Every structure is written in C-alpha cells, then in structure tokens.
C-alpha cells in the first residue's frame, strides 16, 4: 500500500511511493536505489515517513546493504519528505547548494552536504554521478546517473511517455527543453531512464520531454 520496489538492472532498483496532492490527487512518485558490495545510495526519499521506514528496512534486510547516502534531487516533498528519517539514522544527505537554499526558504528538512554543479559518490566499487544540468521542473532539479549500468534517474526533470506537463508552480518552462537536450548530449550512453513519475523506459523519454516543452 505504501511502497513498491522493482528491479531495473543488476544493481539498480526503482522505488515507488504515494503522495496525496490537492491538484493531482494521489500521485505515484519514483526514486532510485543503486547498490554494490553491501552499500546502497538512494535517490529521493519516499513521499511519506511510513514508506521511508519501509524502504530503509528493505535495503537493510532484503538487499543486505548499508545506506551510504540519500540524494534529494530537488526541494519538493516527493524528493525529501522522508529526509528526517534518514538523518535520524545518521545517513548523510547530498544535494546541490541551490536545493539546500530552497529547502531553507520553505522551512523543510534541509540536506546536509552541498555541491554547486555536479559531484560523484562511490557505492561499493562503482561510481554514481549527481548533476545539475539546468533548470526545468524546478531551478534546482538534478539527475542521478549510474554509468556502470547506463541507468539515469531523471527525477521530475524527465516525463514518462504521454505524461502531461504536470505541476509548473516552480518550473522554468522556457529552459526545460534545452536542459534535457544538454543532458542527452552529456550522457550519450544512457540506456534506461527513470522519470520522477510514471513508467520507466529508454531515451525516448528524453525525446518526449524535449518535445513536450519545446517552444
């Protein structure tokens, strides 16, 4: 009822939780788990505390991994509603300095470790890239890329096929297409794309998003 976890590739899982919204009703929200050598990194917290507890326990008990980091990809609830649960367990959080500033403005739980444009984290023997390519869904939306398995967590910057434009209250609609175009050029080897909401796929999600916001 609270949490769905699906395998995406050998070392990658998709986690899905549910956010109750005024405008769109109950919304399924995606996040990513990457793991290697008994370590895991989570991109975006589940959308509420109950699902966050379930996710943390699942990674520990079923994957047999310690969570090394939590990465909120922007400042909205579908990325960091469960951040406090991670912090209580001394799991460090990483996000752009822009996400930290916007979290402070909105007086929500604030990520601990900031960076400007991009950074790399190690999970076991593998690297994970966190990158702020440009503005789109929000000023601060960043992506997670797992080069070993060519998996992109696009978060809310990327739309699933046939999705609408969604919530635009903090969006930069003018730059959205060009940001995703830059993303596509920077990481040409992407094979699997996980959007912020809806069904995962391949590079066609990037093309769909570019077309959706093309002006």
């Amino acid at each position: 009822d609270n949490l769905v976890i699906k395998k995406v590739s050998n070392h990658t899982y998709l986690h899905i939780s549910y956010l109750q919204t005024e405008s769109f009703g109950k919304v399924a929200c995606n996040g990513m788990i990457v793991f290697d050598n008994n370590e895991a990194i989570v991109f975006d917290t589940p959308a509420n505390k109950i699902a966050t507890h379930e996710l943390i326990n699942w990674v520990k008990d079923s994957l047999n991994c310690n969570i090394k980091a939590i990465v909120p990809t922007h400042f909205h609830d579908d990325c960091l509603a469960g951040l406090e649960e991670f912090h209580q367990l001394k799991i460090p959080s990483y996000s752009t300095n822009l996400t930290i500033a916007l979290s402070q403005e909105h007086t929500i739980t604030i990520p601990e470790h900031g960076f400007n444009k991009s950074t790399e984290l190690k999970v076991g023997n593998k690297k994970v890239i966190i990158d702020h390519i440009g503005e789109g869904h929000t000023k601060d939306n960043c992506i997670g890329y797992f080069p070993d398995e060519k998996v992109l967590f696009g978060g809310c910057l990327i739309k699933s096929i046939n999705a609408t434009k969604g919530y635009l209250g903090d969006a930069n609609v003018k730059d959205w297409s060009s940001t995703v175009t830059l993303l596509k050029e920077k990481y040409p080897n992407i094979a699997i794309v996980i959007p912020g909401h809806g069904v995962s796929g391949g590079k066609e999600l990037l093309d769909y998003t570019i077309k959706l916001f093309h002006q």
Side-chain angles (χ1 to χ4, degrees), residues 38-54:
N38 303 108
E39 291 183 343
I41 292 176
V42 179
F43 283 82
D44 287 355
T45 79
N48 58 67
K49 290 184 176 185
I50 295 168
T52 300
H53 274 300
E54 290 184 9

Side-chain angles (χ1 to χ4, degrees), residues 26 32 66:
K26 190 179 179 182
M32 179 172 79
N66 291 319

Side-chain angles (χ1 to χ4, degrees), residues 1-4 16-19 26 29 46-48 50-52 54:
D1 288 348
N2 299 309
L3 183 70
V4 176
I16 305 167
S17 56
Y18 303 93
L19 184 68
K26 190 179 179 182
C29 306
N48 58 67
I50 295 168
T52 300
E54 290 184 9

Side-chain angles (χ1 to χ4, degrees), residues 44-117:
D44 287 355
T45 79
N48 58 67
K49 290 184 176 185
I50 295 168
T52 300
H53 274 300
E54 290 184 9
L55 175 78
I56 291 168
N57 289 335
W58 183 85
V59 172
K60 188 177 71 179
D61 299 336
S62 297
L63 268 191
N64 196 27
C65 287
N66 291 319
I67 300 175
K68 194 179 177 184
I70 170 71
V71 181
T73 57
H74 65 278
F75 74 96
H76 287 164
D77 269 357
D78 52 356
C79 299
L80 44 64
L83 193 55
E84 189 56 43
E85 315 306 301
F86 287 90
H87 287 173
Q88 283 172 3
L89 295 169
K90 302 286 189 284
I91 296 166
S93 53
Y94 297 82
S95 68
T96 65
N97 289 319
L98 193 50
T99 299
I100 290 172
L102 288 164
S103 302
Q104 286 166 333
E105 268 179 45
H106 291 79
T107 59
I108 43 190
T109 308
I110 298 158
E112 297 167 327
H113 303 283
F115 57 91
N116 282 329
K117 286 297 286 179

